Amino acid sequence: MAGGLGGADTAWAAPGTDRSEVTGLTVEHRTDPLGVDAERPRFGWRTDSAVRGRRQLGYRIRVAGSHLSPYGEIVSAWTVRDGTLHYRAAVPANTTATLRIPAAGPDAVREGRTPLSRVSGVEFAGFADGTANYRLPSGRYELTAAQG
């Protein structure tokens, strides 16, 4: 799957017009990692600024990847904002996907206002240890998952 870390947004303490940037993005000490199998992955980055004394106050991590399969493009991307996971997926025509997504409960995963388990064609496969499991038919999905 191509991709890896999609980027990081930062909040800065010192005002200014310089071009501050985030560089050296890693997960588990690897750049562009594939198949990270860590319950609580470690993210790393450097911040570069021409303004003396500038420091980072906050961050938001976005992760994205895609793969061009023989059936079409597979997309998986997420970010967390205000305690809610925002997840975007594309499942190619004539295929299905298994989705395992952390959530506060089975009905916490939604497409719009609808619980994902009630979306036509989606099969709810269970909830255990803070993770909801689904089988997704082909299509594009914009999901949210409230975190516990």
Side-chain angles (χ1 to χ4, degrees):
M1 179 163 291
L5 289 176
D9 297 327
T10 56
W12 301 97
T17 58
D18 78 298
R19 303 285 303 188
S20 299
E21 66 180 316
V22 176
T23 62
L25 298 168
T26 61
V27 176
E28 292 297 309
H29 307 289
R30 294 180 282 173
T31 58
D32 294 326
L34 298 176
V36 174
D37 189 20
E39 187 172 319
R40 297 192 181 281
R42 294 169 290 183
F43 295 92
W45 62 89
R46 289 185 310 276
T47 55
D48 297 324
S49 172
V51 175
R52 185 180 176 123
R54 179 163 277 199
R55 63 187 174 102
Q56 180 182 333
L57 293 177
Y59 64 92
R60 181 178 72 195
I61 296 173
R62 293 173 291 170
V63 179
S66 64
H67 173 72
L68 187 55
S69 79
Y71 299 96
E73 186 177 32
I74 300 166
V75 174
S76 178
W78 64 264
T79 189
V80 176
R81 290 191 308 268
D82 301 322
T84 299
L85 182 127
H86 297 262
Y87 182 75
R88 182 173 51 91
V91 180
N94 301 313
T95 67
T96 61
T98 300
L99 173 64
R100 293 180 180 92
I101 188 167
D107 287 336
V109 182
R110 298 180 173 265
E111 185 174 54
R113 294 179 181 220
T114 305
L116 185 58
S117 59
R118 295 190 190 137
V119 172
S120 178
V122 172
E123 178 186 331
F124 177 65
F127 182 84
D129 299 322
T131 302
N133 300 286
Y134 302 89
R135 293 286 294 169
L136 304 178
S138 58
R140 295 193 171 277
Y141 299 88
E142 298 278 341
L143 308 175
T144 57
Q147 303 300 291

